[in-house]
Amino acid sequence: RTMMNTLKKMAVSAVAALAGVMMVAPTAMAANGTIPIDAAHFPDTAFRVRIAQEFDSYPKDGKLTIAERNAVTEIRGGDSYEIKFAKGIGYFPTLENLYLYNQLLTSIDLSHNAKLQNLNLSRNKLTKIDLSRNPELRDLDLSSNKLISINVSKNTKLTEFDFQSNPLLWISSIAPAVNVDIYSPFTD
């Protein structure tokens, strides 16, 4: 019986370790190599098409090299793309400006975009957003979403913040030393 329990524990540990490697592997690969512009790395077709059109440099090989990814400082969605999710945005570590307004986003992971300064995700369907790993944010537009709470306590460089037309129930305090122009349903 003890031997069986030991074997079960070893099997569970092996599965957990393998799952951890599988979850870390794409990020490690992204940091060290070329990323294919495919459904595995950019699952949303509209977002993948936008990335391929804008950032796959000559010879247009369907891949993004480290140099190509590091050269990307701005991504714009455009009204006609209808992007539903932006998985793969983390492959652009030098991204400073992200404009994916008027899309169909319900969530977005910006945890690997620490250099982000200007973010416009207005007119989407966001229900939550984590900006705790975006300390350089200066201009933030989250208007016309479905956000019920926003925490900007780590975004001490904010100078403009628009959160109009959200069913907000809670907003974190903004650092007192920051002079922020706030556009909200509570200000004129």
Side-chain angles (χ1 to χ4, degrees):
R1 186 136 171 104
T2 306
M3 179 67 146
M4 187 60 114
N5 286 340
T6 303
L7 287 174
K8 282 181 184 177
K9 287 179 184 176
M10 289 174 58
V12 169
S13 295
V15 168
L18 181 58
V21 167
M22 290 174 71
M23 295 194 68
V24 172
T27 305
M29 181 183 71
N32 297 319
T34 299
I35 301 298
I37 304 172
D38 60 11
H41 295 88
F42 301 95
D44 185 279
T45 303
F47 189 57
R48 184 170 58 250
V49 166
R50 186 71 177 147
I51 295 300
Q53 287 175 341
E54 289 294 315
F55 308 116
D56 186 9
S57 303
Y58 182 80
K60 297 277 186 188
D61 57 2
K63 299 175 184 170
L64 295 171
T65 64
I66 293 172
E68 286 172 323
R69 290 186 292 116
N70 286 339
V72 176
T73 59
E74 180 171 300
I75 295 177
R76 291 184 174 271
D79 287 342
S80 62
Y81 282 91
E82 296 187 348
I83 296 168
K84 294 178 185 165
F85 42 95
K87 183 174 183 245
I89 197 80
Y91 293 124
F92 303 100
T94 59
L95 187 65
E96 295 176 357
N97 307 299
L98 179 60
Y99 305 102
L100 292 179
Y101 53 86
N102 205 26
Q103 302 298 322
L104 302 172
L105 297 170
T106 56
S107 65
I108 190 166
D109 180 0
L110 300 171
S111 61
H112 298 288
N113 304 104
K115 295 186 178 186
L116 202 56
Q117 295 177 19
N118 301 298
L119 178 61
N120 186 335
L121 298 175
S122 64
R123 297 185 310 258
N124 275 286
K125 299 173 188 288
L126 295 171
T127 56
K128 63 181 178 173
I129 189 162
D130 181 356
L131 300 171
S132 63
R133 294 193 179 173
N134 309 105
E136 300 300 318
L137 268 180
R138 288 170 171 69
D139 189 344
L140 175 61
D141 188 345
L142 297 173
S143 61
S144 301
N145 276 285
K146 296 181 179 189
L147 296 165
I148 59 169
S149 68
I150 301 172
N151 186 341
V152 291
S153 61
K154 304 272 186 199
N155 310 107
T156 59
K157 295 183 180 180
L158 273 180
T159 56
E160 290 198 24
F161 178 23
D162 188 343
F163 60 95
Q164 295 181 73
S165 301
N166 278 290
L168 279 175
L169 299 175
W170 180 83
I171 183 167
S172 69
S173 61
I174 298 173
V178 178
N179 183 13
V180 181
D181 290 329
I182 297 177
Y183 305 94
S184 78
F186 312 115
T187 62
D188 2 35

